[in-house]
Amino acid sequence: MSRKPKKGYFVRGEFVAEGSELDLELKRELKGTDDASKTDLKRESAELQKLGEDLLDLRAGLFDKLPIGEKLRDAVIEARRITNFEGKRRQMQFIGKLMRLQDPGVLDAVRAALDEQHHGPAEESALLHEAERWRDQLIADDDALGGWIETHPATDSQQLRALVRQARKDLKAGKPGEAPRQGKAYREVFQLVRAQLSAHGSGDHAAEAAEQSREHDA
């Protein structure tokens, strides 16, 4: 027969079992003049409640990977189905209570999953920035094209050169205070570069080659 989990709550990442010495000490503080501790507990409880509410919007691919217990997982799934306002409110209170029982590591995993959904994986973000940097460099500098092709020989060099030329032709100055207007080729250069970076890893070596090419011509 499985043991029933201890009742309690988390305070600053530490589990406090109901009836323990720490629990009694915290309750004495709350009844006394320690307003800071009381405020901290309320703030942490509100943060965990909000974290539980955010779980409802987490996409399936990330939600399914979370190391949460079956009770919390089922509670979130059930909350997504509820349309009645009062029923939803009660279910969210229940989820908040379950969130306060989760281990700190589980809470960190939830925060990381939500951050990934909002901002994307760090590697993907770095890849996008690298592709943007190379797109701008290829269009602005002929030397960059040679460095890129040298380190990414799988690139269709004829296609890339044609896209770069067209992107330069399409470039139109915007109104005062506005960014220059770009054409279709500008986006296609980005897509081509991103595909190559994704297939072969970071473009750092290509950047070094372009820099060496410029130094050689200087």
Side-chain angles (χ1 to χ4, degrees):
M1 183 176 180
S2 61
R3 296 174 58 187
K4 295 180 63 176
K6 291 183 178 181
K7 292 184 177 180
Y9 50 91
F10 281 92
V11 177
R12 292 180 287 277
E14 179 180 357
F15 180 77
V16 180
E18 289 187 1
S20 66
E21 285 297 323
L22 183 55
D23 176 43
L24 296 176
E25 181 181 344
L26 289 171
K27 287 179 179 177
R28 283 195 295 269
E29 290 179 353
L30 291 176
K31 291 179 181 178
T33 59
D34 194 346
D35 293 334
S37 296
K38 188 174 182 179
T39 301
D40 288 343
L41 288 173
K42 286 184 177 180
R43 184 184 300 113
E44 183 167 350
S45 178
E47 191 268 339
L48 293 177
Q49 180 72 43
K50 178 64 168 60
L51 203 62
E53 293 173 1
D54 290 343
L55 276 176
L56 270 66
D57 298 322
L58 190 63
R59 65 174 181 265
L62 294 172
F63 180 74
D64 293 342
K65 296 178 183 178
L66 287 177
I68 59 178
E70 184 176 350
K71 182 177 290 187
L72 177 56
R73 189 178 300 277
D74 290 344
V76 171
I77 294 173
E78 179 63 23
R80 290 170 175 168
R81 299 191 186 117
I82 298 175
T83 56
N84 177 268
F85 177 82
E86 181 60 22
K88 189 93 162 186
R89 186 185 68 82
R90 291 181 180 180
Q91 185 69 5
M92 294 314 305
Q93 288 181 335
F94 177 57
I95 289 175
K97 180 179 178 180
L98 293 177
M99 290 297 292
R100 291 188 285 274
L101 298 177
Q102 301 302 307
D103 291 333
V106 173
L107 297 176
D108 287 342
V110 171
R111 293 186 183 98
L114 289 168
D115 184 69
E116 180 174 337
Q117 174 160 290
H118 294 152
H119 303 104
E123 291 182 4
E124 176 65 16
S125 179
L127 178 65
L128 292 176
H129 286 307
E130 184 71 4
E132 289 172 351
R133 185 176 70 83
W134 265 106
R135 172 201 59 201
D136 296 341
Q137 193 172 348
L138 286 166
I139 294 173
D141 188 352
D142 287 333
D143 292 333
L145 189 60
W148 172 269
I149 293 173
E150 181 180 344
T151 53
H152 292 80
T155 303
D156 185 333
S157 60
Q158 186 174 357
Q159 180 190 18
L160 180 57
R161 290 180 189 277
L163 287 174
V164 167
R165 284 196 300 269
Q166 188 60 47
R168 291 172 179 173
K169 291 179 181 179
D170 293 342
L171 183 61
K172 297 179 181 178
K175 297 179 181 179
E178 294 183 358
R181 296 172 58 187
Q182 308 289 354
K184 181 180 178 182
Y186 181 81
R187 296 188 297 271
E188 292 181 345
V189 170
F190 171 80
Q191 293 168 358
L192 188 153
V193 167
R194 179 186 176 188
Q196 287 294 318
L197 289 175
S198 180
H200 302 289
S202 172
D204 290 342
H205 296 304
E208 293 174 4
E211 184 64 27
Q212 291 173 0
S213 177
R214 285 193 294 273
E215 291 176 355
H216 180 268
D217 292 340

